[in-house]
PDB file of all heavy atoms in Angstrom:
ATOM      1  N   GLU Q  81     -11.158  25.879  15.804  1.00 98.00           N
ATOM      2  CA  GLU Q  81     -10.617  27.255  16.091  1.00 98.00           C
ATOM      3  C   GLU Q  81     -10.238  27.325  17.496  1.00 98.00           C
ATOM      4  O   GLU Q  81     -10.276  26.384  18.206  1.00 98.00           O
ATOM      5  CB  GLU Q  81     -11.819  28.290  15.695  1.00 98.00           C
ATOM      6  CG  GLU Q  81     -13.020  28.118  16.585  1.00 98.00           C
ATOM      7  CD  GLU Q  81     -13.291  29.046  17.677  1.00 98.00           C
ATOM      8  OE1 GLU Q  81     -13.255  30.254  17.306  1.00 98.00           O
ATOM      9  OE2 GLU Q  81     -13.348  28.701  18.816  1.00 98.00           O
ATOM     10  N   THR Q  83     -10.669  30.203  19.758  1.00 98.00           N
ATOM     11  CA  THR Q  83     -11.393  31.144  20.667  1.00 98.00           C
ATOM     12  C   THR Q  83     -12.052  30.471  21.849  1.00 98.00           C
ATOM     13  O   THR Q  83     -11.994  30.796  22.985  1.00 98.00           O
ATOM     14  CB  THR Q  83     -12.335  32.087  19.988  1.00 98.00           C
ATOM     15  OG1 THR Q  83     -11.628  32.551  18.861  1.00 98.00           O
ATOM     16  CG2 THR Q  83     -12.785  33.327  20.800  1.00 98.00           C
ATOM     17  N   ARG Q 112     -10.832  21.517  10.177  1.00 98.00           N
ATOM     18  CA  ARG Q 112     -12.156  21.637   9.641  1.00 98.00           C
ATOM     19  C   ARG Q 112     -12.405  20.797   8.453  1.00 98.00           C
ATOM     20  O   ARG Q 112     -11.563  20.824   7.482  1.00 98.00           O
ATOM     21  CB  ARG Q 112     -12.465  23.012   9.299  1.00 98.00           C
ATOM     22  CG  ARG Q 112     -12.468  24.043  10.519  1.00 98.00           C
ATOM     23  CD  ARG Q 112     -12.940  25.447  10.095  1.00 98.00           C
ATOM     24  NE  ARG Q 112     -12.592  26.464  11.250  1.00 98.00           N
ATOM     25  CZ  ARG Q 112     -12.733  27.717  11.087  1.00 98.00           C
ATOM     26  NH1 ARG Q 112     -13.248  28.288  10.092  1.00 98.00           N
ATOM     27  NH2 ARG Q 112     -12.245  28.414  12.076  1.00 98.00           N
ATOM     28  N   GLU Q 114     -13.617  20.867   5.533  1.00 96.00           N
ATOM     29  CA  GLU Q 114     -14.193  21.662   4.583  1.00 96.00           C
ATOM     30  C   GLU Q 114     -13.749  21.034   3.212  1.00 96.00           C
ATOM     31  O   GLU Q 114     -12.841  20.213   3.191  1.00 96.00           O
ATOM     32  CB  GLU Q 114     -13.671  23.012   4.677  1.00 96.00           C
ATOM     33  CG  GLU Q 114     -14.074  23.807   5.855  1.00 96.00           C
ATOM     34  CD  GLU Q 114     -13.797  25.294   5.699  1.00 96.00           C
ATOM     35  OE1 GLU Q 114     -14.644  25.936   4.949  1.00 96.00           O
ATOM     36  OE2 GLU Q 114     -12.916  25.803   6.305  1.00 96.00           O
ATOM     37  N   GLY Q 119      -6.317  27.853  -0.425  1.00 95.00           N
ATOM     38  CA  GLY Q 119      -6.615  28.605   0.685  1.00 95.00           C
ATOM     39  C   GLY Q 119      -7.550  28.115   1.600  1.00 95.00           C
ATOM     40  O   GLY Q 119      -7.841  28.612   2.597  1.00 95.00           O
ATOM     41  N   ARG Q 120      -7.888  26.823   1.299  1.00 97.00           N
ATOM     42  CA  ARG Q 120      -8.859  26.171   2.236  1.00 97.00           C
ATOM     43  C   ARG Q 120      -8.421  24.711   2.462  1.00 97.00           C
ATOM     44  O   ARG Q 120      -8.352  23.937   1.540  1.00 97.00           O
ATOM     45  CB  ARG Q 120     -10.293  26.246   1.771  1.00 97.00           C
ATOM     46  CG  ARG Q 120     -11.312  25.812   2.773  1.00 97.00           C
ATOM     47  CD  ARG Q 120     -12.723  26.283   2.348  1.00 97.00           C
ATOM     48  NE  ARG Q 120     -13.216  25.423   1.296  1.00 97.00           N
ATOM     49  CZ  ARG Q 120     -14.418  25.687   0.706  1.00 97.00           C
ATOM     50  NH1 ARG Q 120     -15.058  26.796   1.148  1.00 97.00           N
ATOM     51  NH2 ARG Q 120     -14.804  24.929  -0.174  1.00 97.00           N
ATOM     52  N   TYR Q 121      -8.093  24.400   3.681  1.00 98.00           N
ATOM     53  CA  TYR Q 121      -7.541  23.029   3.921  1.00 98.00           C
ATOM     54  C   TYR Q 121      -8.282  22.466   5.186  1.00 98.00           C
ATOM     55  O   TYR Q 121      -8.964  23.106   5.866  1.00 98.00           O
ATOM     56  CB  TYR Q 121      -6.077  23.184   4.338  1.00 98.00           C
ATOM     57  CG  TYR Q 121      -5.259  24.099   3.233  1.00 98.00           C
ATOM     58  CD1 TYR Q 121      -5.116  25.450   3.498  1.00 98.00           C
ATOM     59  CD2 TYR Q 121      -4.887  23.467   2.109  1.00 98.00           C
ATOM     60  CE1 TYR Q 121      -4.537  26.228   2.484  1.00 98.00           C
ATOM     61  CE2 TYR Q 121      -4.345  24.292   1.198  1.00 98.00           C
ATOM     62  CZ  TYR Q 121      -4.074  25.656   1.397  1.00 98.00           C
ATOM     63  OH  TYR Q 121      -3.503  26.391   0.384  1.00 98.00           O
ATOM     64  N   PHE Q 124      -5.282  23.421   8.944  1.00 98.00           N
ATOM     65  CA  PHE Q 124      -4.561  24.602   8.572  1.00 98.00           C
ATOM     66  C   PHE Q 124      -4.166  25.259   9.836  1.00 98.00           C
ATOM     67  O   PHE Q 124      -4.277  24.725  10.912  1.00 98.00           O
ATOM     68  CB  PHE Q 124      -5.656  25.627   7.934  1.00 98.00           C
ATOM     69  CG  PHE Q 124      -6.857  25.947   8.686  1.00 98.00           C
ATOM     70  CD1 PHE Q 124      -6.925  27.030   9.400  1.00 98.00           C
ATOM     71  CD2 PHE Q 124      -7.868  25.060   8.821  1.00 98.00           C
ATOM     72  CE1 PHE Q 124      -8.024  27.432  10.186  1.00 98.00           C
ATOM     73  CE2 PHE Q 124      -8.985  25.304   9.600  1.00 98.00           C
ATOM     74  CZ  PHE Q 124      -9.132  26.518  10.241  1.00 98.00           C
ATOM     75  N   GLN Q 126      -3.565  28.785  12.214  1.00 98.00           N
ATOM     76  CA  GLN Q 126      -4.045  30.108  12.574  1.00 98.00           C
ATOM     77  C   GLN Q 126      -2.994  30.627  13.670  1.00 98.00           C
ATOM     78  O   GLN Q 126      -2.423  29.943  14.351  1.00 98.00           O
ATOM     79  CB  GLN Q 126      -5.338  30.059  13.209  1.00 98.00           C
ATOM     80  CG  GLN Q 126      -6.589  29.838  12.364  1.00 98.00           C
ATOM     81  CD  GLN Q 126      -7.817  30.038  13.058  1.00 98.00           C
ATOM     82  OE1 GLN Q 126      -7.817  30.007  14.322  1.00 98.00           O
ATOM     83  NE2 GLN Q 126      -8.943  30.287  12.319  1.00 98.00           N
ATOM     84  N   GLU Q 130      -6.693  37.177  21.651  1.00 98.00           N
ATOM     85  CA  GLU Q 130      -8.006  37.395  22.326  1.00 98.00           C
ATOM     86  C   GLU Q 130      -7.649  38.306  23.526  1.00 98.00           C
ATOM     87  O   GLU Q 130      -6.648  38.040  24.255  1.00 98.00           O
ATOM     88  CB  GLU Q 130      -8.548  36.003  22.943  1.00 98.00           C
ATOM     89  CG  GLU Q 130      -8.461  34.778  21.880  1.00 98.00           C
ATOM     90  CD  GLU Q 130      -9.422  34.905  20.733  1.00 98.00           C
ATOM     91  OE1 GLU Q 130     -10.255  35.857  20.723  1.00 98.00           O
ATOM     92  OE2 GLU Q 130      -9.316  34.110  19.753  1.00 98.00           O
ATOM     93  N   ARG Q 255     -19.933  37.251   9.585  1.00 93.00           N
ATOM     94  CA  ARG Q 255     -19.098  36.298  10.241  1.00 93.00           C
ATOM     95  C   ARG Q 255     -19.763  34.942  10.424  1.00 93.00           C
ATOM     96  O   ARG Q 255     -20.875  34.875  10.586  1.00 93.00           O
ATOM     97  CB  ARG Q 255     -18.347  36.708  11.497  1.00 93.00           C
ATOM     98  CG  ARG Q 255     -17.625  38.075  11.391  1.00 93.00           C
ATOM     99  CD  ARG Q 255     -16.099  37.930  11.051  1.00 93.00           C
ATOM    100  NE  ARG Q 255     -15.433  37.059  11.813  1.00 93.00           N
ATOM    101  CZ  ARG Q 255     -14.689  35.991  11.357  1.00 93.00           C
ATOM    102  NH1 ARG Q 255     -14.690  35.914  10.082  1.00 93.00           N
ATOM    103  NH2 ARG Q 255     -14.036  35.233  12.159  1.00 93.00           N
ATOM    104  N   TYR Q 259     -20.743  33.522  17.993  1.00 96.00           N
ATOM    105  CA  TYR Q 259     -20.509  34.202  19.298  1.00 96.00           C
ATOM    106  C   TYR Q 259     -20.183  35.669  19.278  1.00 96.00           C
ATOM    107  O   TYR Q 259     -20.235  36.362  20.208  1.00 96.00           O
ATOM    108  CB  TYR Q 259     -19.437  33.559  20.060  1.00 96.00           C
ATOM    109  CG  TYR Q 259     -18.062  33.164  19.305  1.00 96.00           C
ATOM    110  CD1 TYR Q 259     -17.365  34.306  18.792  1.00 96.00           C
ATOM    111  CD2 TYR Q 259     -17.602  31.953  19.266  1.00 96.00           C
ATOM    112  CE1 TYR Q 259     -16.147  34.000  18.035  1.00 96.00           C
ATOM    113  CE2 TYR Q 259     -16.359  31.591  18.563  1.00 96.00           C
ATOM    114  CZ  TYR Q 259     -15.626  32.685  17.977  1.00 96.00           C
ATOM    115  OH  TYR Q 259     -14.459  32.445  17.471  1.00 96.00           O
ATOM    116  N   TYR Q 260     -20.409  36.262  17.918  1.00 97.00           N
ATOM    117  CA  TYR Q 260     -19.971  37.739  17.919  1.00 97.00           C
ATOM    118  C   TYR Q 260     -21.075  38.608  18.396  1.00 97.00           C
ATOM    119  O   TYR Q 260     -22.163  38.267  18.394  1.00 97.00           O
ATOM    120  CB  TYR Q 260     -19.594  38.018  16.554  1.00 97.00           C
ATOM    121  CG  TYR Q 260     -18.258  37.383  16.065  1.00 97.00           C
ATOM    122  CD1 TYR Q 260     -18.403  36.363  15.174  1.00 97.00           C
ATOM    123  CD2 TYR Q 260     -17.036  37.893  16.599  1.00 97.00           C
ATOM    124  CE1 TYR Q 260     -17.182  35.697  14.892  1.00 97.00           C
ATOM    125  CE2 TYR Q 260     -15.840  37.277  16.222  1.00 97.00           C
ATOM    126  CZ  TYR Q 260     -15.914  36.229  15.287  1.00 97.00           C
ATOM    127  OH  TYR Q 260     -14.756  35.568  14.946  1.00 97.00           O
ATOM    128  N   ALA Q 277     -10.443  35.957   2.779  1.00 97.00           N
ATOM    129  CA  ALA Q 277     -10.102  36.418   4.137  1.00 97.00           C
ATOM    130  C   ALA Q 277      -8.774  36.095   4.650  1.00 97.00           C
ATOM    131  O   ALA Q 277      -8.572  34.914   4.815  1.00 97.00           O
ATOM    132  CB  ALA Q 277     -11.264  35.941   5.074  1.00 97.00           C
ATOM    133  N   LEU Q 278      -7.928  36.970   4.839  1.00 98.00           N
ATOM    134  CA  LEU Q 278      -6.751  36.737   5.459  1.00 98.00           C
ATOM    135  C   LEU Q 278      -6.821  36.489   6.944  1.00 98.00           C
ATOM    136  O   LEU Q 278      -6.313  35.628   7.562  1.00 98.00           O
ATOM    137  CB  LEU Q 278      -5.743  37.962   5.197  1.00 98.00           C
ATOM    138  CG  LEU Q 278      -5.063  38.067   4.006  1.00 98.00           C
ATOM    139  CD1 LEU Q 278      -4.368  39.501   3.855  1.00 98.00           C
ATOM    140  CD2 LEU Q 278      -3.902  37.061   3.816  1.00 98.00           C
ATOM    141  N   GLY Q 280     -10.016  37.215  10.269  1.00 98.00           N
ATOM    142  CA  GLY Q 280     -11.380  37.694  10.766  1.00 98.00           C
ATOM    143  C   GLY Q 280     -11.545  37.600  12.261  1.00 98.00           C
ATOM    144  O   GLY Q 280     -10.922  36.831  12.961  1.00 98.00           O
ATOM    145  N   GLY Q 300     -11.164  39.727  19.572  1.00 98.00           N
ATOM    146  CA  GLY Q 300      -9.995  39.178  19.096  1.00 98.00           C
ATOM    147  C   GLY Q 300     -10.138  38.890  17.545  1.00 98.00           C
ATOM    148  O   GLY Q 300     -11.119  39.217  16.835  1.00 98.00           O
ATOM    149  N   ALA Q 302      -8.475  35.876  14.422  1.00 98.00           N
ATOM    150  CA  ALA Q 302      -7.539  34.806  13.974  1.00 98.00           C
ATOM    151  C   ALA Q 302      -7.269  34.923  12.473  1.00 98.00           C
ATOM    152  O   ALA Q 302      -8.070  35.421  11.721  1.00 98.00           O
ATOM    153  CB  ALA Q 302      -8.228  33.492  14.281  1.00 98.00           C
ATOM    154  N   GLY Q 304      -5.208  32.983   9.086  1.00 98.00           N
ATOM    155  CA  GLY Q 304      -4.843  31.942   8.421  1.00 98.00           C
ATOM    156  C   GLY Q 304      -3.367  32.051   7.921  1.00 98.00           C
ATOM    157  O   GLY Q 304      -3.139  32.997   7.198  1.00 98.00           O
TER     158      GLY Q 304
HETATM  159  P1  LIG W 501     -12.532  32.214  11.110  1.00 65.60           P
HETATM  160  O1  LIG W 501     -13.034  33.352  10.209  1.00 65.60           O
HETATM  161  O2  LIG W 501     -13.265  30.982  11.151  1.00 65.60           O
HETATM  162  O3  LIG W 501     -12.571  32.827  12.571  1.00 65.60           O
HETATM  163  O4  LIG W 501     -11.040  31.917  10.796  1.00 65.60           O
HETATM  164  C1  LIG W 501     -10.068  32.903  10.863  1.00 65.60           C
HETATM  165  C2  LIG W 501      -9.124  32.875   9.683  1.00 65.60           C
HETATM  166  O5  LIG W 501      -8.661  31.488   9.556  1.00 65.60           O
HETATM  167  C3  LIG W 501      -9.760  32.962   8.297  1.00 65.60           C
HETATM  168  O6  LIG W 501      -9.899  34.352   7.920  1.00 65.60           O
HETATM  169  C4  LIG W 501      -8.765  32.259   7.336  1.00 65.60           C
HETATM  170  O7  LIG W 501      -7.697  32.960   7.085  1.00 65.60           O
HETATM  171  C5  LIG W 501      -8.287  31.083   8.370  1.00 65.60           C
HETATM  172  N1  LIG W 501      -9.066  29.943   7.793  1.00 65.60           N
HETATM  173  C6  LIG W 501     -10.369  29.456   8.318  1.00 65.60           C
HETATM  174  N2  LIG W 501     -10.689  28.190   7.752  1.00 65.60           N
HETATM  175  C7  LIG W 501      -9.622  27.908   7.057  1.00 65.60           C
HETATM  176  C8  LIG W 501      -9.386  26.694   6.194  1.00 65.60           C
HETATM  177  N3  LIG W 501     -10.166  25.691   6.127  1.00 65.60           N
HETATM  178  N4  LIG W 501      -8.218  26.634   5.502  1.00 65.60           N
HETATM  179  C9  LIG W 501      -7.234  27.558   5.614  1.00 65.60           C
HETATM  180  N5  LIG W 501      -7.521  28.845   6.424  1.00 65.60           N
HETATM  181  C10 LIG W 501      -8.654  28.937   7.046  1.00 65.60           C
HETATM  182  C11 LIG W 501     -12.103  32.106  13.608  1.00 65.60           C
HETATM  183  O8  LIG W 501     -11.550  31.020  13.677  1.00 65.60           O
HETATM  184  C12 LIG W 501     -12.295  32.851  14.893  1.00 65.60           C
HETATM  185  N6  LIG W 501     -11.970  32.011  16.084  1.00 65.60           N
HETATM  186  C13 LIG W 501     -11.673  34.211  14.863  1.00 65.60           C
HETATM  187  C14 LIG W 501     -11.713  35.008  16.207  1.00 65.60           C
HETATM  188  C15 LIG W 501     -10.763  35.048  17.131  1.00 65.60           C
HETATM  189  N7  LIG W 501     -12.716  35.725  16.537  1.00 65.60           N
HETATM  190  C16 LIG W 501     -12.546  36.294  17.780  1.00 65.60           C
HETATM  191  N8  LIG W 501     -11.292  35.937  18.128  1.00 65.60           N
END
Side-chain angles (χ1 to χ4, degrees):
E81 57 104 58
T83 310
R112 294 184 195 175
E114 294 196 75
R120 193 162 72 185
Y121 312 96
F124 60 98
Q126 282 185 343
E130 313 294 350
R255 309 269 309 125
Y259 48 61
Y260 291 107
L278 280 167

